């Protein structure tokens, strides 16, 4: 009898366990059955339907999105990763490269003009009044060696001074001789050799020769033979063109990269196959207020004579910067206020990463933050990866929503999917009870936070005329409001309980919600 009772109890326990297991399996299958597939428009992700069909906004066929089940934090994190098949990667031409530290070499293209070096110029002027007796440099552009005669100048005052000098010599008046000698040298420009000849020959010279102080080219000739000139009249301007200065105009944003002694490479239209090299010798301390440029002076060797004053040139300034993290410009995606780089976290799996950019140089960008050395990034095909992310996650109005470090919030309420608190989520500030919602194939923002018991004015501004969004329905509040196209319609609501209040278009294709908080 004892064994019979024990056996009976064992059968009862096994039966109960089997029923509990069957009940659990049935619950799981019921939950699976309750999870319905969702269809959305690739062009208007805010359009959502529980059955296949056409988008009421653009007419495109709706595509299957995902089963409406709760999304955990780990799954939400994985949603940000985009996986490509090897075939997709080849077709999209996606190539990667590691993030490296390297000197940021910047190259600036500027224009400039050749000019005479101021330190290589000389001016010959008349030291006294007189008449031009003879010219040795007869035209502008003539080359004169240093010490060669330029002009002979006659003056009665010069003749008188020489005669007085001879009388002082004959009278053996040494003090007067020294004074007259200095007068001939300083006032009349006679050389020591000419004065010595005068002392030895006692022969007065009716004209004095003026000699070239430098070897160079006559760039300015002001007089003719037989012309009378006054003291101080400029006779010639000479320039040694073996060295020339080239002035470059550098824009304000590039001035920080230019240093004294920096190498400059130039090319000219006259000699397109020739490249000339010089160095920066001076940086103007004052900016040109009209062109917003700073003038840079560079010096070039011109013994070959190919660089002519007033010639235009094209210059390149090469600047070697500090060693920093750099990425190619093709890897950068500018999405309005944010800058994104696609990082390959695993083979054929990419994650969008927000980055902060520094200086740019040629086709490289400095990375201030957001990437680490050695990480693999997509340098081509980034826009195609971005498009793929929009197709794989069509429910997000912004394919970049949640990229980087934005805070995400998982809302696992019945019939809702996880979303991120970005531009599509609006939190009402206490100072205002009016919220503007733009209707354009969807609601922007889709999620609105309101206060319990506080009256709120929802201003729906409709900027398109599709049939789907012609009215808004708050089913729980028994509110149905027409939304005229290109006008603003106000709906006043006072939430009475905590939780969510859903609203949708008249066709039930476009959805939004109010989150009622304390």
């Amino acid at each position: 009898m004892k064994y019979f009772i024990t056996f009976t109890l064992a059968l009862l326990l096994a039966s109960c366990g089997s029923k509990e297991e069957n009940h659990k399996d049935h619950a799981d299958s019921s939950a699976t059955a309750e999870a319905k597939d969702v269809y959305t428009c690739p062009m208007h992700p805010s359009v959502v339907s529980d059955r296949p069909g056409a988008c009421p906004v653009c007419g495109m066929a709706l595509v299957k999105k995902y089963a409406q089940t709760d999304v955990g934090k780990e799954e939400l994190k994985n949603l940000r990763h985009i996986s490509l098949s090897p075939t997709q990667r080849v077709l999209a031409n996606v190539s990667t490269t590691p993030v490296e530290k390297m000197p940021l070499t910047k190259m600036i293209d500027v224009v400039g003009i050749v000019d005479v070096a101021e330190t290589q110029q000389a001016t010959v002027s008349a030291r006294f009044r007189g008449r031009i007796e003879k010219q040795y440099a007869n035209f502008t552009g003539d080359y004169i060696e240093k010490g060669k005669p330029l002009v002979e100048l006659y003056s009665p005052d010069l003749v008188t001074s020489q005669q007085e000098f001879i009388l002082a010599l004959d009278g053996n008046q040494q003090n007067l001789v020294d004074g007259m000698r200095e007068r001939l040298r300083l006032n009349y420009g006679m050389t020591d050799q000419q004065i010595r000849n005068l002392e030895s020959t006692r022969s007065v010279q009716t004209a004095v020769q003026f000699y070239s102080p430098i070897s160079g080219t006559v760039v300015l000739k002001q007089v003719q033979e037989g012309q009378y000139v006054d003291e101080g009249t400029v006779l010639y301007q000479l320039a040694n063109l073996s060295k020339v200065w080239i002035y470059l105009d550098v824009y304000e944003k590039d001035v920080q990269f230019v240093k004294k002694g920096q190498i400059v490479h130039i090319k000219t239209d006259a000699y397109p196959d020739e490249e000339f090299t010089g160095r920066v010798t001076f940086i103007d301390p004052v900016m040109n207020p009209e062109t917003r440029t700073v003038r840079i002076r560079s010096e070039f060797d011109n013994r070959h004579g190919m660089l002519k004053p007033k010639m235009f040139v094209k210059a390149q300034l090469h600047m070697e910067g500090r060693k920093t993290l750099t990425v190619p410009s093709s890897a950068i995606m500018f999405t309005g206020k944010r800058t994104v780089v696609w990082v390959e976290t695993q083979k054929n799996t990419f994650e969008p990463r927000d980055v902060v950019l520094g200086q740019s140089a040629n086709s490289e960008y400095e990375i201030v933050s957001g990437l680490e050395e050695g990480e693999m990034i997509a340098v081509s095909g980034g826009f195609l990866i971005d498009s793929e992310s929009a197709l794989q996650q069509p429910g997000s109005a912004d394919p970049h929503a949640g990229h980087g470090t934005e805070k995400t919030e998982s809302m696992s309420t019945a019939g809702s999917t996880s979303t991120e608190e970005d531009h599509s989520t609006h939190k009402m500030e206490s100072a205002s009870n009016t919220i503007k919602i733009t209707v354009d194939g969807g609601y922007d923002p889709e999620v609105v936070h309101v206060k319990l018991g506080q009256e709120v004015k929802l201003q729906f501004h409709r900027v398109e005329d599709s049939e789907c969004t012609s009215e808004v329905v708050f089913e729980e509040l028994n509110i149905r409001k027409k939304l005229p196209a290109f006008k603003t319609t106000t709906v006043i609501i006072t939430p009475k309980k905590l939780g969510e209040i859903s609203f949708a278009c008249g066709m039930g294709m476009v959805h939004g919600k109010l989150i009622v908080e304390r």
Side-chain angles (χ1 to χ4, degrees), residues 309 330 401:
S330 59

Side-chain angles (χ1 to χ4, degrees), residues 95 97 327-334 340-342 363-365 377-383:
S95 59
T97 188
V327 298
S329 58
S330 59
I332 307 294
M333 290 188 61
F334 298 96
V340 177
V341 172
W342 287 98
S363 59
E364 301 287 331
Y365 274 95
I377 60 172
V379 294
S380 65
F383 283 99

Side-chain angles (χ1 to χ4, degrees), residues 279-320:
R279 289 187 179 273
V280 175
T281 57
F282 181 75
I283 301 173
D284 198 329
V286 180
M287 178 175 290
N288 187 324
E290 297 179 357
T291 61
R292 305 304 302 170
T293 58
V294 173
R295 173 153 283 196
I296 306 299
R297 189 181 73 209
S298 56
E299 188 174 292
F300 284 76
D301 182 77
N302 191 39
R303 283 173 289 186
H304 42 66
M306 299 171 71
L307 298 175
K308 317 293 185 184
K310 309 308 176 185
M311 180 184 284
F312 286 105
V313 300
K314 299 172 185 176
Q316 284 187 339
L317 297 169
H318 294 266
M319 285 143 285
E320 194 79 10

Side-chain angles (χ1 to χ4, degrees), residues 419-488:
T419 183
E420 299 181 10
E421 192 171 354
D422 55 4
H423 70 278
S424 63
T425 302
H426 183 89
K427 192 149 187 166
M428 185 181 66
E429 298 180 3
S430 59
S432 172
N433 60 351
T434 300
I435 298 176
K436 295 181 180 180
I437 300 176
T438 303
V439 183
D440 185 10
Y443 300 117
D444 184 17
E446 293 179 352
V447 180
V448 178
H449 291 257
V450 298
K451 296 292 185 181
L452 178 66
Q454 181 177 346
E455 181 182 275
V456 58
K457 296 179 181 178
L458 303 176
Q459 293 185 342
F460 291 86
H461 180 63
R462 188 163 168 238
V463 297
E464 43 90 19
D465 58 355
S466 66
E467 183 65 26
C468 176
T469 59
S470 60
E471 62 180 357
V472 62
V473 179
F474 291 81
E475 189 172 347
E476 297 178 24
L477 304 179
N478 197 24
I479 295 176
R480 181 180 291 268
K481 198 84 168 181
K482 290 287 185 181
L483 302 180
F486 308 107
K487 293 185 178 179
T488 300

